[in-house]
Amino acid sequence: MASAAPGPRGLRWALGPLGLCWALLGPAAATTATNIVLLLMDDMGWGDLGAFGEPSKETPNLDQMAAEGMLFLDFYTASPLCSPSRAALLTGRLPVRNGFYTTNGHARNAYTPQDIVGGIPDSELLLPELLKKAGYTNKIIGKWHLGHRPQFHPLRHGFDEWFGSPNCHFGPYNSSERPNIPVYRDWDMAGRYYEDFKIDLKTGESNLTQLYLQEALDFISKQQASQQPFFLYWAIDATHAPVYASKQFLGTSQRGLYGDAVREIDDSVGKILKHLQQLGISENTFVFFTSDNGAALISAPRQGGSNGPFLCGKQTTFEGGMREPAIAWWPGHIPAGGVSHQLGSVMDLFSTSLSLAALQPPSDRQIDGIDLLPVILQGKLIDRPIFYYRGNELMAVRAGLYKAHYWTWSNSWEEHSKGIDFCPGQSVDGVTTHTQEEHTYLPLLFHLGRDPGEKFPLSFASEEYQQAVQHISGLLQQHRATLVPGQPQLNVCDQAVMNWAPPGCEKLGKCLKAPESDPKKCSWPH
């Protein structure tokens, strides 16, 4: 595909009064709009930062960011796996609504490997598409993960620039059986992982984080010079196995290779924030740091992080799989040293970003994210539940300090017997079950204030249990009454759709011959 590719598809949105004025006056009128920087980590756990209690205290820049801004202690992803959580962030909608789930099995996690046929549907409105109407220039750096086929390209869904990859950096592969994952520069591929963008699996060395950092600094400088508001989505993946770090950071952490990657990310975030300050735009730039799901304990400790006091990790709907580190930073607006117990979600970043741009969320669909600005700027608490989905099943609901599990499952005995353990050293009888256990009529209830590790279910006979479950059951009924599941996008896989010949491969001599199409049901064991 040539670089001069067609623009994004037709857009439909609802504008607030200010947003309508900006749309009528044109981009030049929006120069005072707040810039938005979302820093989304990959498989980073709640317990990986010093500000959240990590004992080695190796994240001074992120800790300083927290000291100057607001720490969210009860912030959640929308799925315990990467692709659905990213789709939820960018649409403000639960994966079961936006189609990022599977019906190939009950309560199965699914994502976008390179043989997936589906991706983000055209019917979904993404945050950058909406921000463009307020004059924003939008860039994604790092992992997209919402589909790699041409129709799912991020520049067709509101982004103006991209440097990064459509998939995880797995590999290296034998190109006759499976192609290495491409890295894109805007519309066209710039090379492939392991071939042109090196990752040394033996040492863990790669300079990718440095490349992603420089991309961010250059973009911010360019936008500041042009006096146009910007949205930067910095979705880097160094903490996703296989973990990597640049040479100057290797061997510098007490935590091993994973800690090296975290230290480099911390250093990079510090440089991004300092750059905003040096350019004089920090007071006009809202920055939010979080992660796509909990730490992958199956890869720990060398290739995985820490979920602090919480149960299990990535792939599960226990707290360790879905509660995330989260920091908001906006000098001159957010009071320093703030700590919030607001129940937050990555989907709130959608609604909050629109609010910053004086835009209203789309009115023609259910939006699950809420505007966090009253929380961040005024210290308010908004009463709202958190829904814990795994694939097509609602596993648990949190309201206040109570969490009710309607289904429990870590993974199957078959997978567990292969050494795949999402809860290493954390088995809790009747909770971390290896068969799917339904608790619809007597949900397992935990008080997350007294028992953040979900080890001690409340007695079914207690008055506390009865009152909490009655309240949560009402919330659950309301949610189900409005739920219209989207068309599942993660059901079909086909080797023919892999990254054999991405746009721009001809110029680089990197086009590969695709096999015959053979679509099949994707297998999702977890």
Side-chain angles (χ1 to χ4, degrees):
M1 181 184 295
S3 295
R9 57 193 172 78
L11 306 178
R12 303 176 306 282
W13 46 70
L15 290 174
L18 284 177
L20 180 58
C21 290
W22 284 355
L24 293 174
L25 292 173
T31 54
T32 58
T34 303
N35 304 313
I36 301 165
V37 178
L38 301 184
L39 308 171
L40 184 71
M41 301 302 104
D42 203 335
D43 290 6
M44 185 176 280
W46 190 95
D48 277 331
L49 309 183
F52 285 81
E54 203 290 313
S56 63
K57 301 294 181 185
E58 293 180 343
T59 53
N61 295 290
L62 284 161
D63 298 348
Q64 182 65 24
M65 180 185 180
E68 295 173 359
M70 175 173 282
L71 205 65
F72 282 81
L73 300 179
D74 299 82
F75 196 83
Y76 290 87
T77 183
S79 168
L81 203 61
C82 40
S83 299
S85 68
R86 292 161 193 264
L89 187 159
L90 290 174
T91 64
R93 287 154 56 82
L94 286 162
V96 73
R97 295 193 207 273
N98 64 38
F100 262 65
Y101 70 103
T102 183
T103 53
N104 288 357
H106 176 249
R108 300 299 173 116
N109 290 315
Y111 68 109
T112 53
Q114 63 168 321
D115 61 346
I116 197 77
V117 170
I120 192 69
D122 273 352
S123 58
E124 291 298 318
L125 288 173
L126 273 62
L127 176 60
E129 296 180 75
L130 301 173
L131 291 176
K132 282 178 82 73
K133 198 63 176 178
Y136 280 73
T137 300
N138 309 308
K139 179 159 186 168
I140 172 175
I141 298 173
K143 188 163 79 173
W144 168 238
H145 230 209
L146 301 190
H148 62 280
R149 300 174 71 199
Q151 64 267 39
F152 307 127
H153 194 292
L155 271 61
R156 292 188 183 274
H157 293 269
F159 285 102
D160 300 291
E161 301 179 25
W162 180 26
F163 180 73
S165 172
N167 309 97
C168 290
H169 57 277
F170 295 136
Y173 298 118
N174 179 334
S175 58
S176 64
E177 299 175 359
R178 183 179 293 261
N180 282 316
I181 304 297
V183 174
Y184 278 75
R185 163 77 63 193
D186 298 332
W187 287 104
D188 294 345
M189 70 177 290
R192 294 183 187 271
Y193 284 135
Y194 301 97
E195 297 172 17
D196 311 284
F197 296 89
K198 304 295 185 183
I199 303 172
D200 189 324
L201 296 183
K202 290 183 180 179
T203 65
E205 182 181 346
S206 175
N207 71 339
L208 282 166
T209 299
Q210 293 303 306
L211 294 178
Y212 294 147
L213 168 61
Q214 194 58 50
E215 286 286 326
L217 300 178
D218 291 348
F219 176 72
I220 291 169
S221 294
K222 181 176 70 172
Q223 291 309 119
Q224 189 272 340
S226 71
Q227 295 295 298
Q228 290 298 305
F230 64 85
F231 168 44
L232 173 60
Y233 178 46
W234 200 62
I236 67 170
D237 63 356
T239 44
H240 186 297
V243 172
Y244 60 80
S246 300
K247 187 173 184 179
Q248 64 265 39
F249 288 92
L250 288 178
T252 63
S253 171
Q254 296 182 51
R255 303 178 65 194
L257 177 59
Y258 182 87
D260 295 341
V262 172
R263 291 197 68 240
E264 183 169 15
I265 289 171
D266 176 77
D267 181 77
S268 298
V269 171
K271 288 175 177 172
I272 290 172
L273 300 185
K274 184 177 180 180
H275 193 55
L276 292 169
Q277 292 169 325
Q278 290 174 336
L279 292 176
I281 58 173
S282 60
E283 293 193 4
N284 195 38
T285 305
F286 175 84
V287 184
F288 201 96
F289 176 97
T290 190
S291 179
D292 64 344
N293 46 248
L297 300 186
I298 187 174
S299 306
R302 179 172 168 78
Q303 297 274 336
S306 166
N307 294 315
F310 303 122
L311 185 63
C312 302
K314 176 182 179 179
Q315 300 264 12
T316 78
T317 49
F318 301 111
E319 290 297 287
M322 294 191 62
R323 202 188 298 203
E324 309 305 326
I327 305 169
W329 184 86
W330 191 9
H333 300 270
I334 299 177
V339 177
S340 178
H341 290 282
Q342 171 67 45
L343 299 190
S345 166
V346 294
M347 296 179 290
D348 301 341
L349 300 178
F350 175 89
S351 299
T352 304
S353 297
L354 292 180
S355 181
L356 287 164
L359 296 169
Q360 293 292 330
S363 59
D364 64 344
R365 65 202 61 208
Q366 181 72 37
I367 300 296
D368 297 293
I370 64 171
D371 179 7
L372 290 176
L373 288 185
V375 176
I376 294 170
L377 301 180
Q378 302 165 34
K380 292 186 176 181
L381 287 177
I382 301 169
D383 187 19
R384 62 91 66 93
I386 294 292
F387 298 107
Y388 301 69
Y389 271 89
R390 181 167 173 168
N392 59 353
E393 184 59 75
L394 179 59
M395 304 288 283
V397 181
R398 178 177 175 181
L401 288 169
Y402 293 99
K403 179 179 179 181
H405 288 268
Y406 292 89
W407 286 87
T408 54
W409 191 40
S410 56
N411 65 337
S412 69
W413 281 116
E414 180 183 2
E415 294 296 310
H416 190 262
S417 67
K418 299 174 184 176
I420 299 173
D421 191 351
F422 300 144
C423 312
Q426 291 185 302
S427 177
V428 180
D429 286 347
V431 179
T432 56
T433 56
H434 292 292
T435 54
Q436 294 186 1
E437 298 294 334
E438 185 175 6
H439 309 279
T440 299
Y441 300 106
L442 280 177
L444 296 181
L445 185 70
F446 296 91
H447 187 287
L448 295 178
R450 300 192 298 262
D451 179 25
E454 298 171 280
K455 294 179 173 63
F456 307 103
L458 271 64
S459 168
F460 298 140
S462 68
E463 184 177 348
E464 181 182 14
Y465 177 94
Q466 299 292 337
Q467 291 179 352
V469 167
Q470 182 178 15
H471 174 60
I472 293 175
S473 295
L475 296 172
L476 178 60
Q477 290 173 9
Q478 291 174 25
H479 172 68
R480 286 184 167 155
T482 65
L483 181 64
V484 179
Q487 184 69 28
Q489 295 295 307
L490 308 180
N491 280 352
V492 181
C493 290
D494 187 349
Q495 279 197 320
V497 305
M498 290 200 276
N499 295 288
W500 300 103
C505 66
E506 305 93 346
K507 296 181 240 178
L508 302 176
K510 289 193 170 286
C511 299
L512 301 170
K513 184 181 166 86
E516 292 293 321
S517 178
D518 184 23
K520 298 177 180 177
K521 271 190 172 184
C522 303
S523 175
W524 306 115
H526 313 302

